[in-house]
Amino acid sequence: MVQTATKIVEATEATAARVARHAAVLSGQLRSLGTTLFPPTARKSLRSFTSGEVARIVGVSDGYLRQLSLDGLGPAPAFGSGGRRSYTLAQVNELRRYLAQVRPREAVQFLPGRRPGDALQIITVANFKGGSAKTTTALYLSQYLALHGFRVLAIDLDPQASLSAMFGYQPEFDIAENETLYGAIRYDDERRPMRDIVRKTYFDGISLVPGNLELMEFEHQTPRAMIDRKARGYDLFFRRVAAAIDEVGDEFDVVVIDCPPQLGYLTIGALNAATAMLVTIHPQMVDVASMSQFLLMTADLMSVIESAGGHLNHDFIRYVVTRHDPNDVPEAQIVALLRNLFGEDVLRATAWKSTAIANAGLTKQSLYELDRGSVGRAAYDRALESVNAVNAEVTQLIQTVWGR
């Protein structure tokens, strides 16, 4: 019996050592790959946009941009082969400010962010079913909003930190201790101001609160804090995410939170902070069944939070159909079922399943970051059209909340 127990302990230790070794090898390889993809600093940068792309994004004609350039007005574009003009995203935002000045009647079109009296929009993207494209949805929404002139704060609440990785950070190497949201919501004296944790990204208009495994500490420490009466009042766990966001809220128009794939304390805090929620759903029956459990559990938790004095008054809740194959008959039936059950709470647009999106993700990029020809023009155009339609619908919901 003793020998058997000893063998089990030895096997457990051997397994732990093997897993640790595999983790170290994989992390090192990912770091090496990141250096190869983004030399020499191993940090991502954003491509420039052609004048045609800028015209579509800003909402003016390419000829108008050309005339501005000839007259020396607005930001000066770079000139490539054949005299092609291109702009960085920072220049696109400079162009927006210029156009808002010279065409004041259209200022809201060029600078669509918050006005005095407009509430900060905090959008959680949630589902505890893996593979529902939750992180992809949060990433593309953040980048779409930034491209269209909004000031965005993206918060990675998932300890797996996939959103942070898409912004060019390898969590175990690039995110130090106390540099996640945990640093701003922890219960001890090591708590930091939220402003110290927010970092700029290569994508002009987007700031990031990164994530890594440190976020799990909040799940472990909260039960202990709940026993300690000192943690009550404003410091109740479900108010901490909202309090941290409040510290920097005036600097942003929209906050997009990528929630972890479980209904833990972090997700509850995000739901309490949110003004809106997007629930991603892959149109497969097993995913729909999982979403049913997610909604039941969420409803129960929301009732508990509200009875404890929480604030759960969302401006809108929408279901986002993701990884959708419009030519798949069973998927079409499931989408029809969802629309029949939830009506307008299901977004009209769906995010299509696409090799273009998958291929872009292989290099930790989105379609917004890639040149049109790099993943096949036809596939790129179809995928981008579906993603833009989803994000435009969410943007319109935000504008409606602001009374526009």
Side-chain angles (χ1 to χ4, degrees):
M1 183 72 71
V2 174
Q3 289 180 343
T4 301
T6 301
K7 288 181 179 179
I8 291 174
V9 171
E10 290 175 350
T12 301
E13 291 176 348
T15 300
R18 180 184 298 179
V19 171
R21 177 170 55 82
H22 289 176
V25 170
L26 181 58
S27 293
Q29 185 62 42
L30 289 173
R31 189 172 181 84
S32 176
L33 180 61
T35 304
T36 301
L37 289 173
F38 309 113
T41 62
R43 285 285 182 260
K44 292 182 70 175
S45 60
L46 185 62
R47 67 178 177 90
S48 296
F49 296 86
T50 67
S51 59
E53 289 176 311
V54 174
R56 287 192 296 272
I57 292 171
V58 176
V60 296
S61 70
D62 194 9
Y64 180 75
L65 289 183
R66 184 183 301 108
Q67 192 59 52
L68 285 179
S69 176
L70 291 173
D71 293 342
L73 301 174
F79 288 89
S81 59
R84 294 179 179 177
R85 290 164 291 117
S86 64
Y87 298 80
T88 66
L89 184 52
Q91 287 180 309
V92 173
N93 288 325
E94 182 184 345
L95 176 65
R96 287 183 178 280
R97 292 187 289 271
Y98 171 78
L99 292 175
Q101 277 188 325
V102 299
R103 296 164 63 170
R105 292 184 179 180
E106 302 167 81
V108 173
Q109 171 191 328
F110 301 126
L111 295 175
R114 294 164 68 190
R115 297 289 188 271
D118 291 341
L120 174 68
Q121 292 300 291
I122 304 173
I123 301 175
T124 59
V125 184
N127 198 331
F128 65 23
K129 178 69 172 68
S132 66
K134 179 176 55 64
T135 297
T136 301
T137 301
L139 173 71
Y140 275 78
L141 177 60
S142 298
Q143 293 187 345
Y144 178 91
L145 290 169
L147 283 170
H148 287 80
F150 294 85
R151 301 169 301 163
V152 181
L153 174 63
I155 300 179
D156 193 349
L157 272 192
D158 189 345
Q160 297 176 79
S162 297
L163 184 64
S164 302
M166 292 301 291
F167 277 105
Y169 295 101
Q170 190 170 343
E172 63 268 43
F173 290 115
D174 300 327
I175 313 300
E177 183 179 353
N178 237 20
E179 291 187 348
T180 71
L181 187 70
Y182 176 67
I185 62 176
R186 60 190 300 163
Y187 296 96
D188 58 23
D189 294 337
E190 298 298 316
R191 189 171 176 178
R192 302 177 63 195
M194 181 69 158
R195 185 165 281 101
D196 293 349
I197 295 171
V198 174
R199 56 178 73 187
K200 297 291 185 183
T201 71
Y202 64 93
F203 208 104
D204 195 71
I206 300 180
S207 295
L208 175 71
V209 174
N212 65 12
L213 288 173
E214 176 187 66
L215 288 165
M216 290 302 298
E217 289 298 314
F218 190 70
E219 306 292 344
H220 300 151
Q221 295 299 325
T222 294
R224 300 176 187 176
M226 291 172 70
I227 296 173
D228 184 354
R229 293 185 179 274
K230 292 180 181 178
R232 296 192 178 278
Y234 190 76
D235 279 336
L236 276 168
F237 76 90
F238 57 77
R239 290 180 176 150
R240 285 179 170 254
V241 175
I245 293 173
D246 282 346
E247 293 180 31
V248 296
D250 289 343
E251 300 173 19
F252 301 99
D253 304 312
V254 183
V255 178
V256 178
I257 304 177
D258 183 22
C259 290
Q262 69 266 346
L263 285 175
Y265 297 115
L266 286 168
T267 300
I268 294 171
L271 293 176
N272 185 72
T275 62
M277 180 166 68
L278 298 178
V279 180
T280 54
I281 174 66
H282 180 216
Q284 296 285 339
M285 190 51 69
V286 65
D287 294 79
V288 173
S290 175
M291 188 181 75
S292 174
Q293 296 301 306
F294 170 78
L295 294 177
L296 287 170
M297 293 177 64
T298 302
D300 289 342
L301 287 169
M302 285 182 169
S303 297
V304 172
I305 293 172
E306 288 179 334
S307 65
H311 175 72
L312 291 168
N313 186 19
H314 296 141
D315 294 317
F316 60 87
I317 297 175
R318 291 293 186 274
Y319 300 96
V320 186
V321 177
T322 61
R323 297 173 57 216
H324 177 212
D325 181 354
N327 298 315
D328 187 292
V329 174
E331 286 196 10
Q333 293 173 338
I334 291 175
V335 173
L337 172 66
L338 292 171
R339 296 194 190 285
N340 184 56
L341 292 173
F342 303 133
E344 66 178 13
D345 287 338
V346 181
L347 290 184
R348 293 185 299 275
T350 63
W352 291 4
K353 182 179 181 179
S354 172
T355 56
I357 294 175
N359 290 341
L362 291 175
T363 54
K364 296 182 181 179
Q365 295 182 92
S366 74
L367 295 180
Y368 297 126
E369 300 174 69
L370 292 181
D371 291 318
R372 182 166 169 255
S374 59
V375 291
R377 291 178 180 270
Y380 179 96
D381 289 343
R382 285 194 302 269
L384 190 61
E385 181 181 359
S386 76
V387 169
N388 281 343
V390 168
N391 291 329
E393 207 170 326
V394 175
T395 302
Q396 184 55 57
L397 289 168
I398 293 171
Q399 298 283 24
T400 299
V401 172
W402 286 339
R404 300 177 198 166

